[in-house]
């Protein structure tokens, strides 16, 4: 005996349009804040690199006059520049999180709000497949492992 197949519909929740609009606005504001954070990180990293370069150059002039007693300081500056790879990881996380927030905001609007007459449907970017583009969890020497 064969059982009849029942078509299952995905569960749905009815939400007031005001709530959805407020949530979408909040997601987009968070996205904007992440973009501002990315700009601040870019600015700080640029300043750090410039200052490290100036310090390294000054030490180069001093070490030429006084021998290589400044070698350990120069080595520390080189390691500090290497550790600025944190900027790359942070930027990747910010961009990834921004894409997730934007996808949520647009998907929420698409699923909840009725399109106006003559409105072209939105082309929604797919949600990123990977949970995070960066797997780094610490910044100890030798522990940098991107992707």
């Amino acid at each position: 005996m064969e059982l009849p197949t029942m078509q299952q519909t995905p569960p749905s929740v009815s939400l007031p349009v005001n709530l959805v609009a407020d949530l979408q606005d909040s997601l987009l504001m968070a996205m904007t804040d992440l973009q501002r954070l990315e700009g601040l990180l870019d600015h700080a990293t640029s300043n750090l690199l410039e200052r490290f370069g100036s310090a390294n150059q000054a030490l180069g002039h001093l070490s030429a006059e006084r021998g290589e007693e400044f070698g350990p300081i120069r080595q520390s500056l080189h390691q500090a520049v290497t550790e600025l790879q944190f900027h790359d990881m942070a930027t990747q996380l910010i961009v990834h999180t921004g894409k997730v927030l934007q996808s949520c905001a647009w998907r929420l609007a698409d699923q909840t709000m009725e399109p106006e007459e003559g409105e072209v449907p939105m082309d929604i970017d797919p949600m990123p497949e990977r949970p995070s583009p960066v797997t780094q969890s610490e910044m100890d020497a030798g522990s940098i492992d991107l992707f």
Side-chain angles (χ1 to χ4, degrees):
M1 178 173 158
E2 197 171 305
L3 295 175
T5 59
M6 298 177 63
Q7 183 151 352
Q8 294 184 354
T9 59
S12 65
V13 176
S14 177
L15 296 173
V17 173
N18 297 8
L19 177 66
V20 171
D22 287 346
L23 182 57
Q24 184 184 29
D25 286 346
S26 296
L27 290 169
L28 294 175
M29 282 190 318
M31 223 176 77
T32 300
D33 288 346
L34 286 173
Q35 289 169 342
R36 289 178 54 213
L37 177 60
E38 182 181 10
L40 291 170
L41 279 171
D42 286 344
H43 181 74
T45 300
S46 177
N47 286 344
L48 281 172
L49 283 171
E50 184 179 323
R51 288 186 174 93
F52 287 149
S54 296
N56 192 37
Q57 188 175 17
L59 286 173
H61 293 302
L62 286 175
S63 65
E65 297 169 7
R66 300 176 66 186
E68 281 296 321
E69 61 191 70
F70 295 105
I73 298 171
R74 293 183 79 187
Q75 180 63 28
S76 291
L77 284 174
H78 285 295
Q79 288 173 338
V81 169
T82 300
E83 290 175 7
L84 285 176
Q85 288 178 345
F86 169 78
H87 171 264
D88 288 337
M89 292 185 301
T91 300
Q92 289 177 47
L93 287 171
I94 289 169
V95 168
H96 175 79
T97 303
K99 287 179 181 177
V100 169
L101 291 174
Q102 183 178 32
S103 179
C104 288
W106 295 148
R107 194 172 305 260
L108 187 63
D110 183 57
Q111 295 293 316
T112 307
M113 298 179 195
E114 293 291 324
E116 294 183 16
E117 189 176 320
E119 184 178 18
V120 177
M122 286 192 298
D123 186 23
I124 300 172
D125 291 334
M127 183 76 73
E129 292 180 19
R130 292 177 21 177
S132 174
V134 178
T135 60
Q136 186 64 28
S137 61
E138 57 186 68
M139 286 299 298
D140 292 337
S143 69
I144 297 172
D145 182 26
L146 301 178
F147 310 105

